[in-house]
PDB file of all heavy atoms in Angstrom:
ATOM      1  N   TYR I 255     -10.069  24.528 -12.831  1.00 97.00           N
ATOM      2  CA  TYR I 255     -10.266  23.268 -13.529  1.00 97.00           C
ATOM      3  C   TYR I 255     -10.665  22.195 -12.522  1.00 97.00           C
ATOM      4  O   TYR I 255     -10.387  22.307 -11.333  1.00 97.00           O
ATOM      5  CB  TYR I 255      -8.980  22.819 -14.234  1.00 97.00           C
ATOM      6  CG  TYR I 255      -8.280  23.882 -15.046  1.00 97.00           C
ATOM      7  CD1 TYR I 255      -7.037  24.377 -14.658  1.00 97.00           C
ATOM      8  CD2 TYR I 255      -8.863  24.391 -16.205  1.00 97.00           C
ATOM      9  CE1 TYR I 255      -6.383  25.347 -15.408  1.00 97.00           C
ATOM     10  CE2 TYR I 255      -8.221  25.369 -16.951  1.00 97.00           C
ATOM     11  CZ  TYR I 255      -6.975  25.847 -16.550  1.00 97.00           C
ATOM     12  OH  TYR I 255      -6.341  26.810 -17.289  1.00 97.00           O
ATOM     13  N   LEU I 256     -11.299  21.128 -13.012  1.00 98.00           N
ATOM     14  CA  LEU I 256     -11.537  19.962 -12.177  1.00 98.00           C
ATOM     15  C   LEU I 256     -10.223  19.204 -12.045  1.00 98.00           C
ATOM     16  O   LEU I 256      -9.645  18.761 -13.037  1.00 98.00           O
ATOM     17  CB  LEU I 256     -12.597  19.067 -12.812  1.00 98.00           C
ATOM     18  CG  LEU I 256     -12.856  17.727 -12.099  1.00 98.00           C
ATOM     19  CD1 LEU I 256     -13.414  17.962 -10.700  1.00 98.00           C
ATOM     20  CD2 LEU I 256     -13.801  16.857 -12.917  1.00 98.00           C
ATOM     21  N   PHE I 257      -9.739  19.067 -10.822  1.00 98.00           N
ATOM     22  CA  PHE I 257      -8.462  18.403 -10.576  1.00 98.00           C
ATOM     23  C   PHE I 257      -8.649  17.355  -9.485  1.00 98.00           C
ATOM     24  O   PHE I 257      -9.318  17.605  -8.476  1.00 98.00           O
ATOM     25  CB  PHE I 257      -7.400  19.406 -10.135  1.00 98.00           C
ATOM     26  CG  PHE I 257      -6.113  18.764  -9.682  1.00 98.00           C
ATOM     27  CD1 PHE I 257      -5.227  18.227 -10.602  1.00 98.00           C
ATOM     28  CD2 PHE I 257      -5.819  18.664  -8.332  1.00 98.00           C
ATOM     29  CE1 PHE I 257      -4.051  17.618 -10.187  1.00 98.00           C
ATOM     30  CE2 PHE I 257      -4.646  18.060  -7.906  1.00 98.00           C
ATOM     31  CZ  PHE I 257      -3.761  17.534  -8.836  1.00 98.00           C
ATOM     32  N   GLY I 258      -8.075  16.183  -9.712  1.00 97.00           N
ATOM     33  CA  GLY I 258      -8.220  15.155  -8.701  1.00 97.00           C
ATOM     34  C   GLY I 258      -7.409  13.909  -8.995  1.00 97.00           C
ATOM     35  O   GLY I 258      -6.491  13.911  -9.826  1.00 97.00           O
ATOM     36  N   ARG I 259      -7.777  12.830  -8.299  1.00 97.00           N
ATOM     37  CA  ARG I 259      -7.107  11.547  -8.439  1.00 97.00           C
ATOM     38  C   ARG I 259      -8.108  10.495  -8.912  1.00 97.00           C
ATOM     39  O   ARG I 259      -9.267  10.475  -8.481  1.00 97.00           O
ATOM     40  CB  ARG I 259      -6.532  11.081  -7.094  1.00 97.00           C
ATOM     41  CG  ARG I 259      -5.457  11.966  -6.501  1.00 97.00           C
ATOM     42  CD  ARG I 259      -4.914  11.376  -5.199  1.00 97.00           C
ATOM     43  NE  ARG I 259      -5.939  11.334  -4.177  1.00 97.00           N
ATOM     44  CZ  ARG I 259      -6.104  12.251  -3.241  1.00 97.00           C
ATOM     45  NH1 ARG I 259      -5.278  13.300  -3.188  1.00 97.00           N
ATOM     46  NH2 ARG I 259      -7.059  12.150  -2.347  1.00 97.00           N
ATOM     47  N   ILE I 260      -7.644   9.603  -9.790  1.00 97.00           N
ATOM     48  CA  ILE I 260      -8.390   8.390 -10.121  1.00 97.00           C
ATOM     49  C   ILE I 260      -7.667   7.245  -9.428  1.00 97.00           C
ATOM     50  O   ILE I 260      -6.470   7.042  -9.642  1.00 97.00           O
ATOM     51  CB  ILE I 260      -8.435   8.127 -11.637  1.00 97.00           C
ATOM     52  CG1 ILE I 260      -8.824   9.381 -12.412  1.00 97.00           C
ATOM     53  CG2 ILE I 260      -9.415   7.003 -11.953  1.00 97.00           C
ATOM     54  CD1 ILE I 260      -8.705   9.227 -13.909  1.00 97.00           C
ATOM     55  N   CYS I 261      -8.384   6.498  -8.609  1.00 96.00           N
ATOM     56  CA  CYS I 261      -7.751   5.506  -7.736  1.00 96.00           C
ATOM     57  C   CYS I 261      -8.291   4.104  -8.035  1.00 96.00           C
ATOM     58  O   CYS I 261      -9.484   3.930  -8.297  1.00 96.00           O
ATOM     59  CB  CYS I 261      -8.006   5.843  -6.275  1.00 96.00           C
ATOM     60  SG  CYS I 261      -7.616   7.558  -5.834  1.00 96.00           S
ATOM     61  N   LYS I 262      -7.397   3.127  -7.960  1.00 95.00           N
ATOM     62  CA  LYS I 262      -7.751   1.730  -8.229  1.00 95.00           C
ATOM     63  C   LYS I 262      -7.281   0.859  -7.077  1.00 95.00           C
ATOM     64  O   LYS I 262      -6.130   0.935  -6.655  1.00 95.00           O
ATOM     65  CB  LYS I 262      -7.095   1.270  -9.535  1.00 95.00           C
ATOM     66  CG  LYS I 262      -7.293  -0.200  -9.860  1.00 95.00           C
ATOM     67  CD  LYS I 262      -6.498  -0.582 -11.106  1.00 95.00           C
ATOM     68  CE  LYS I 262      -6.607  -2.062 -11.399  1.00 95.00           C
ATOM     69  NZ  LYS I 262      -5.779  -2.438 -12.581  1.00 95.00           N
ATOM     70  N   GLN I 263      -8.165   0.040  -6.566  1.00 93.00           N
ATOM     71  CA  GLN I 263      -7.844  -0.850  -5.460  1.00 93.00           C
ATOM     72  C   GLN I 263      -6.868  -1.941  -5.897  1.00 93.00           C
ATOM     73  O   GLN I 263      -7.005  -2.531  -6.971  1.00 93.00           O
ATOM     74  CB  GLN I 263      -9.127  -1.485  -4.923  1.00 93.00           C
ATOM     75  CG  GLN I 263      -8.927  -2.442  -3.759  1.00 93.00           C
ATOM     76  CD  GLN I 263     -10.206  -3.195  -3.425  1.00 93.00           C
ATOM     77  OE1 GLN I 263     -11.115  -3.282  -4.241  1.00 93.00           O
ATOM     78  NE2 GLN I 263     -10.263  -3.741  -2.220  1.00 93.00           N
ATOM     79  N   LYS I 264      -5.886  -2.211  -5.063  1.00 91.00           N
ATOM     80  CA  LYS I 264      -5.002  -3.354  -5.240  1.00 91.00           C
ATOM     81  C   LYS I 264      -5.426  -4.466  -4.286  1.00 91.00           C
ATOM     82  O   LYS I 264      -5.946  -4.201  -3.202  1.00 91.00           O
ATOM     83  CB  LYS I 264      -3.539  -2.978  -4.963  1.00 91.00           C
ATOM     84  CG  LYS I 264      -2.921  -2.110  -6.041  1.00 91.00           C
ATOM     85  CD  LYS I 264      -1.479  -1.783  -5.729  1.00 91.00           C
ATOM     86  CE  LYS I 264      -0.572  -2.996  -5.834  1.00 91.00           C
ATOM     87  NZ  LYS I 264      -0.389  -3.447  -7.228  1.00 91.00           N
ATOM     88  N   SER I 265      -5.216  -5.697  -4.690  1.00 88.00           N
ATOM     89  CA  SER I 265      -5.591  -6.809  -3.825  1.00 88.00           C
ATOM     90  C   SER I 265      -4.732  -6.799  -2.567  1.00 88.00           C
ATOM     91  O   SER I 265      -3.553  -6.420  -2.595  1.00 88.00           O
ATOM     92  CB  SER I 265      -5.430  -8.138  -4.564  1.00 88.00           C
ATOM     93  OG  SER I 265      -4.100  -8.310  -5.002  1.00 88.00           O
ATOM     94  N   ASN I 266      -5.330  -7.194  -1.474  1.00 85.00           N
ATOM     95  CA  ASN I 266      -4.670  -7.157  -0.177  1.00 85.00           C
ATOM     96  C   ASN I 266      -3.404  -8.011  -0.146  1.00 85.00           C
ATOM     97  O   ASN I 266      -2.437  -7.705   0.556  1.00 85.00           O
ATOM     98  CB  ASN I 266      -5.649  -7.612   0.913  1.00 85.00           C
ATOM     99  CG  ASN I 266      -5.103  -7.404   2.307  1.00 85.00           C
ATOM    100  OD1 ASN I 266      -4.443  -6.404   2.573  1.00 85.00           O
ATOM    101  ND2 ASN I 266      -5.378  -8.347   3.203  1.00 85.00           N
ATOM    102  N   ASN I 267      -3.390  -9.093  -0.938  1.00 86.00           N
ATOM    103  CA  ASN I 267      -2.224  -9.986  -0.921  1.00 86.00           C
ATOM    104  C   ASN I 267      -1.165  -9.624  -1.962  1.00 86.00           C
ATOM    105  O   ASN I 267      -0.244 -10.389  -2.204  1.00 86.00           O
ATOM    106  CB  ASN I 267      -2.651 -11.447  -1.091  1.00 86.00           C
ATOM    107  CG  ASN I 267      -3.379 -11.700  -2.401  1.00 86.00           C
ATOM    108  OD1 ASN I 267      -3.456 -10.812  -3.256  1.00 86.00           O
ATOM    109  ND2 ASN I 267      -3.935 -12.894  -2.552  1.00 86.00           N
ATOM    110  N   SER I 268      -1.307  -8.433  -2.580  1.00 89.00           N
ATOM    111  CA  SER I 268      -0.300  -8.009  -3.559  1.00 89.00           C
ATOM    112  C   SER I 268       0.830  -7.219  -2.910  1.00 89.00           C
ATOM    113  O   SER I 268       1.858  -6.954  -3.531  1.00 89.00           O
ATOM    114  CB  SER I 268      -0.941  -7.161  -4.660  1.00 89.00           C
ATOM    115  OG  SER I 268      -1.445  -5.943  -4.136  1.00 89.00           O
ATOM    116  N   VAL I 269       0.630  -6.808  -1.659  1.00 90.00           N
ATOM    117  CA  VAL I 269       1.664  -6.132  -0.884  1.00 90.00           C
ATOM    118  C   VAL I 269       1.670  -6.734   0.520  1.00 90.00           C
ATOM    119  O   VAL I 269       0.708  -7.403   0.925  1.00 90.00           O
ATOM    120  CB  VAL I 269       1.437  -4.599  -0.804  1.00 90.00           C
ATOM    121  CG1 VAL I 269       1.561  -3.945  -2.160  1.00 90.00           C
ATOM    122  CG2 VAL I 269       0.082  -4.298  -0.183  1.00 90.00           C
ATOM    123  N   ILE I 270       2.743  -6.509   1.252  1.00 92.00           N
ATOM    124  CA  ILE I 270       2.824  -7.020   2.620  1.00 92.00           C
ATOM    125  C   ILE I 270       3.172  -5.890   3.577  1.00 92.00           C
ATOM    126  O   ILE I 270       3.703  -4.853   3.171  1.00 92.00           O
ATOM    127  CB  ILE I 270       3.867  -8.151   2.749  1.00 92.00           C
ATOM    128  CG1 ILE I 270       5.264  -7.657   2.335  1.00 92.00           C
ATOM    129  CG2 ILE I 270       3.455  -9.372   1.964  1.00 92.00           C
ATOM    130  CD1 ILE I 270       6.360  -8.681   2.559  1.00 92.00           C
ATOM    131  N   LEU I 271       2.861  -6.122   4.846  1.00 92.00           N
ATOM    132  CA  LEU I 271       3.212  -5.197   5.912  1.00 92.00           C
ATOM    133  C   LEU I 271       4.403  -5.786   6.669  1.00 92.00           C
ATOM    134  O   LEU I 271       4.357  -6.936   7.109  1.00 92.00           O
ATOM    135  CB  LEU I 271       2.022  -5.020   6.862  1.00 92.00           C
ATOM    136  CG  LEU I 271       2.218  -4.076   8.045  1.00 92.00           C
ATOM    137  CD1 LEU I 271       2.348  -2.637   7.551  1.00 92.00           C
ATOM    138  CD2 LEU I 271       1.044  -4.197   9.013  1.00 92.00           C
ATOM    139  N   ARG I 272       5.496  -5.004   6.793  1.00 94.00           N
ATOM    140  CA  ARG I 272       6.688  -5.541   7.439  1.00 94.00           C
ATOM    141  C   ARG I 272       7.103  -4.683   8.628  1.00 94.00           C
ATOM    142  O   ARG I 272       7.097  -3.453   8.561  1.00 94.00           O
ATOM    143  CB  ARG I 272       7.857  -5.619   6.445  1.00 94.00           C
ATOM    144  CG  ARG I 272       9.107  -6.289   7.044  1.00 94.00           C
ATOM    145  CD  ARG I 272      10.234  -6.372   6.027  1.00 94.00           C
ATOM    146  NE  ARG I 272       9.876  -7.141   4.862  1.00 94.00           N
ATOM    147  CZ  ARG I 272       9.890  -8.476   4.803  1.00 94.00           C
ATOM    148  NH1 ARG I 272      10.235  -9.186   5.870  1.00 94.00           N
ATOM    149  NH2 ARG I 272       9.559  -9.090   3.693  1.00 94.00           N
ATOM    150  N   ASN I 273       7.468  -5.341   9.701  1.00 93.00           N
ATOM    151  CA  ASN I 273       8.062  -4.698  10.861  1.00 93.00           C
ATOM    152  C   ASN I 273       9.575  -4.689  10.650  1.00 93.00           C
ATOM    153  O   ASN I 273      10.206  -5.746  10.647  1.00 93.00           O
ATOM    154  CB  ASN I 273       7.700  -5.467  12.133  1.00 93.00           C
ATOM    155  CG  ASN I 273       8.232  -4.798  13.387  1.00 93.00           C
ATOM    156  OD1 ASN I 273       9.307  -4.201  13.395  1.00 93.00           O
ATOM    157  ND2 ASN I 273       7.480  -4.921  14.477  1.00 93.00           N
ATOM    158  N   TYR I 274      10.167  -3.509  10.468  1.00 94.00           N
ATOM    159  CA  TYR I 274      11.590  -3.455  10.135  1.00 94.00           C
ATOM    160  C   TYR I 274      12.496  -3.654  11.347  1.00 94.00           C
ATOM    161  O   TYR I 274      13.709  -3.776  11.191  1.00 94.00           O
ATOM    162  CB  TYR I 274      11.911  -2.145   9.423  1.00 94.00           C
ATOM    163  CG  TYR I 274      11.376  -2.119   8.006  1.00 94.00           C
ATOM    164  CD1 TYR I 274      10.345  -1.254   7.652  1.00 94.00           C
ATOM    165  CD2 TYR I 274      11.874  -2.992   7.046  1.00 94.00           C
ATOM    166  CE1 TYR I 274       9.839  -1.251   6.360  1.00 94.00           C
ATOM    167  CE2 TYR I 274      11.364  -3.001   5.756  1.00 94.00           C
ATOM    168  CZ  TYR I 274      10.352  -2.128   5.415  1.00 94.00           C
ATOM    169  OH  TYR I 274       9.847  -2.143   4.133  1.00 94.00           O
ATOM    170  N   GLU I 275      11.931  -3.713  12.526  1.00 95.00           N
ATOM    171  CA  GLU I 275      12.742  -4.061  13.692  1.00 95.00           C
ATOM    172  C   GLU I 275      12.925  -5.572  13.809  1.00 95.00           C
ATOM    173  O   GLU I 275      13.996  -6.067  14.142  1.00 95.00           O
ATOM    174  CB  GLU I 275      12.091  -3.494  14.962  1.00 95.00           C
ATOM    175  CG  GLU I 275      12.114  -1.974  15.030  1.00 95.00           C
ATOM    176  CD  GLU I 275      11.490  -1.451  16.307  1.00 95.00           C
ATOM    177  OE1 GLU I 275      10.885  -2.272  17.052  1.00 95.00           O
ATOM    178  OE2 GLU I 275      11.590  -0.237  16.568  1.00 95.00           O
ATOM    179  N   THR I 276      11.836  -6.305  13.503  1.00 95.00           N
ATOM    180  CA  THR I 276      11.900  -7.768  13.602  1.00 95.00           C
ATOM    181  C   THR I 276      11.972  -8.446  12.242  1.00 95.00           C
ATOM    182  O   THR I 276      12.222  -9.651  12.164  1.00 95.00           O
ATOM    183  CB  THR I 276      10.661  -8.294  14.333  1.00 95.00           C
ATOM    184  OG1 THR I 276       9.488  -8.005  13.538  1.00 95.00           O
ATOM    185  CG2 THR I 276      10.508  -7.635  15.692  1.00 95.00           C
ATOM    186  N   LEU I 277      11.715  -7.673  11.150  1.00 94.00           N
ATOM    187  CA  LEU I 277      11.636  -8.177   9.773  1.00 94.00           C
ATOM    188  C   LEU I 277      10.463  -9.130   9.569  1.00 94.00           C
ATOM    189  O   LEU I 277      10.383  -9.811   8.539  1.00 94.00           O
ATOM    190  CB  LEU I 277      12.946  -8.864   9.346  1.00 94.00           C
ATOM    191  CG  LEU I 277      14.184  -7.961   9.314  1.00 94.00           C
ATOM    192  CD1 LEU I 277      15.387  -8.726   8.757  1.00 94.00           C
ATOM    193  CD2 LEU I 277      13.935  -6.703   8.487  1.00 94.00           C
ATOM    194  N   GLU I 278       9.546  -9.154  10.520  1.00 95.00           N
ATOM    195  CA  GLU I 278       8.367 -10.015  10.383  1.00 95.00           C
ATOM    196  C   GLU I 278       7.424  -9.416   9.335  1.00 95.00           C
ATOM    197  O   GLU I 278       7.185  -8.207   9.302  1.00 95.00           O
ATOM    198  CB  GLU I 278       7.653 -10.137  11.729  1.00 95.00           C
ATOM    199  CG  GLU I 278       6.448 -11.058  11.684  1.00 95.00           C
ATOM    200  CD  GLU I 278       5.735 -11.137  13.026  1.00 95.00           C
ATOM    201  OE1 GLU I 278       6.185 -10.457  13.976  1.00 95.00           O
ATOM    202  OE2 GLU I 278       4.748 -11.879  13.114  1.00 95.00           O
ATOM    203  N   ALA I 279       6.871 -10.279   8.476  1.00 95.00           N
ATOM    204  CA  ALA I 279       5.938  -9.855   7.430  1.00 95.00           C
ATOM    205  C   ALA I 279       4.537 -10.368   7.753  1.00 95.00           C
ATOM    206  O   ALA I 279       4.362 -11.440   8.331  1.00 95.00           O
ATOM    207  CB  ALA I 279       6.391 -10.376   6.081  1.00 95.00           C
ATOM    208  N   ASP I 280       3.545  -9.566   7.337  1.00 93.00           N
ATOM    209  CA  ASP I 280       2.168  -9.949   7.603  1.00 93.00           C
ATOM    210  C   ASP I 280       1.277  -9.311   6.547  1.00 93.00           C
ATOM    211  O   ASP I 280       1.712  -8.448   5.769  1.00 93.00           O
ATOM    212  CB  ASP I 280       1.758  -9.474   9.004  1.00 93.00           C
ATOM    213  CG  ASP I 280       0.527 -10.225   9.533  1.00 93.00           C
ATOM    214  OD1 ASP I 280      -0.045 -11.021   8.760  1.00 93.00           O
ATOM    215  OD2 ASP I 280       0.163 -10.001  10.700  1.00 93.00           O
TER     216      ASP I 280
END
């Protein structure tokens, strides 16, 4: 069968990147 993923972009500002050692977010 044809099997795969359908993917949708999320806006860059809808999630954040966090350093869990310093708790700094970016």
Side-chain angles (χ1 to χ4, degrees):
Y255 313 112
L256 175 64
F257 172 75
R259 297 183 295 264
I260 312 172
C261 310
K262 175 185 176 183
Q263 180 189 19
K264 288 181 69 70
S265 58
N266 189 38
N267 60 7
S268 65
V269 295
I270 59 175
L271 180 68
R272 185 179 300 280
N273 183 325
Y274 287 113
E275 292 181 351
T276 65
L277 297 185
E278 182 181 1
D280 199 354

